[in-house]
Amino acid sequence: MATTAGRPSRVAKLPPRERILDAAEELFRDEGIRRVSVQAIAEKAETTKMAVYRHFETKDALVAEWMRIVAADYRAAFDRVRTEHPGRPGEQIMGLARFIAEGLPAISHRGCPFINSLAELPDRSHPARQVIEEHKAHQTRRMVGLCAEAGLSDPEQAAAEITFVLEGAQVSTQNGSIDRAGDRLMRIVEGIVDRHRPPLDASRPATG
C-alpha cells in the first residue's frame, strides 16, 4: 500500500475500504493495535465509524486484513527472487536475506509488524494471530523448498537456521542491541548456505 504520493493526496483518491485499510495500517504500525480505536481509524480515513463497520464487521477483522496485506508483501518477495534468479535457488535464498536486510532501517523505528502484533495478541484464537501463524508456516515451507532445490544437506535444518537469523536480525534491530545488523545478516546466511552445501566431489564415484 506504500506509495511515493503524499498521504492527503493519496488518501483522497482511494475507495472507502482502501482508505480505511491505509489509515489502519499507519495507526497500527505507529501506535499499536490495542491503543488505536475504531473512531481514530475512521477519523484518519476521513470517514465515519459506521462506515468502518460496514466494511469490517469488527476491529479484529480489520486487524486480520492488515496482517494479510503485510504477509502478502513477504510472499511477494519469494515470488520476486524466483523471477529475478530463475533456476538459481541459492541466489534466491540470498535475495530473500537481502530483502530482510534492506527492510531493517524501517524496523529500527517502527518494529516488525508481526512481532509487535503477536505481543499484543496473546489469544491464539484471534483471527489476526491465526493469519500470522499460517503465514509463518507457509514461509517456512517455502524456505525448506528453496534449501532442497539448492541441494543443501538437511534442508529443514538449513531453513531453520536461516529463519532464526532473519527473524533474530529483525528483533535485534528493533531493540538496538546489534549494530550493522543487515551486513551481519547477509554474511551469516551466506555462511549457512555454504556450510550446508555438499562437497563438490560428493557425487563422484570412489576410485582405487
Side-chain angles (χ1 to χ4, degrees):
M1 294 179 69
T3 133
T4 56
R7 190 176 192 283
S9 61
R10 181 181 76 245
V11 170
K13 298 175 183 178
L14 293 175
R17 187 176 188 277
E18 278 63 41
R19 283 210 313 274
I20 293 166
L21 279 168
D22 185 272
E25 177 181 24
E26 186 168 336
L27 288 170
F28 289 154
R29 282 182 182 271
D30 289 347
E31 301 181 26
I33 294 170
R34 298 299 184 190
R35 290 183 59 191
V36 174
S37 67
V38 173
Q39 182 62 43
I41 294 169
E43 290 174 1
K44 196 167 190 68
E46 299 179 8
T47 188
T48 65
K49 192 173 178 180
M50 184 179 296
V52 174
Y53 283 122
R54 188 160 56 243
H55 290 282
F56 301 94
E57 185 176 352
T58 64
K59 179 185 173 183
D60 288 347
L62 177 54
V63 176
E65 186 62 21
W66 169 54
M67 282 289 93
R68 289 188 189 95
I69 292 171
V70 177
D73 289 341
Y74 282 80
R75 288 197 299 273
F78 274 87
D79 297 334
R80 187 165 57 251
V81 296
R82 187 174 289 274
T83 299
E84 292 173 350
H85 308 287
R88 299 166 64 190
E91 288 299 318
Q92 292 171 31
I93 293 170
M94 295 308 301
L96 289 168
R98 194 170 299 109
F99 165 74
I100 297 297
E102 290 175 351
L104 291 178
I107 286 176
S108 68
H109 66 275
R110 279 183 158 178
C112 170
F114 294 125
I115 295 168
N116 292 348
S117 298
L118 286 172
E120 291 197 75
L121 304 172
D123 182 0
R124 299 193 70 168
S125 67
H126 191 288
R129 188 177 179 106
Q130 291 177 345
V131 170
I132 297 171
E133 291 181 357
E134 289 168 6
H135 162 67
K136 290 296 185 180
H138 175 76
Q139 186 172 271
T140 297
R141 288 194 297 272
R142 291 194 73 170
M143 183 61 75
V144 171
L146 276 180
C147 290
E149 290 174 25
L152 304 188
S153 60
D154 197 347
E156 290 189 2
Q157 177 63 24
E161 292 176 18
I162 292 169
T163 299
F164 282 146
V165 173
L166 299 184
E167 298 196 345
Q170 294 176 81
V171 174
S172 295
T173 298
Q174 187 168 344
N175 63 33
S177 61
I178 302 294
D179 66 347
R180 296 184 294 111
D183 292 339
R184 296 177 193 274
L185 179 157
M186 295 301 297
R187 288 200 297 272
I188 294 171
V189 172
E190 185 175 20
I192 292 170
V193 172
D194 287 345
R195 180 161 47 80
H196 281 274
R197 280 199 175 107
L200 293 177
D201 60 352
S203 61
R204 295 178 183 174
T207 61

